[in-house]
Amino acid sequence: PMRTFFGMTVEPGMAFLKRYLLQGGFLDGVPGLTFAFMDAAYFFLRHAKAWEARYGRSQWAGKLFSL
């Protein structure tokens, strides 16, 4: 469970920083910012769907806030 929780909390931020700062997204202005944000959202949704598949929709909020 921690792997997916880590993926939902830390990995999107790391993906944003990688895309925006390290790969030069800031040089593209608003399109670079948008692309970096969408990349981070993709990582969050990927792990959120894995969490939902593992624990189910009805138990999701209870498991997330009981950590």
Side-chain angles (χ1 to χ4, degrees):
M2 281 306 284
R3 169 89 173 108
T4 305
F5 183 73
F6 174 81
M8 284 193 306
T9 55
V10 176
E11 196 171 359
M14 290 173 29
F16 177 84
L17 291 175
K18 176 184 173 191
R19 182 73 63 186
Y20 193 66
L21 295 177
L22 296 179
Q23 294 183 345
F26 63 93
L27 296 173
D28 296 328
V30 174
L33 180 67
T34 303
F35 190 70
F37 178 76
M38 295 300 290
D39 198 31
Y42 163 75
F43 277 97
F44 172 77
L45 288 174
R46 185 175 75 177
H47 290 287
K49 285 182 175 279
W51 183 284
E52 185 180 36
R54 179 177 221 162
Y55 296 111
R57 186 175 291 229
S58 62
Q59 300 174 355
W60 188 61
K63 294 274 187 189
L64 183 62
F65 295 115
S66 68
L67 294 176

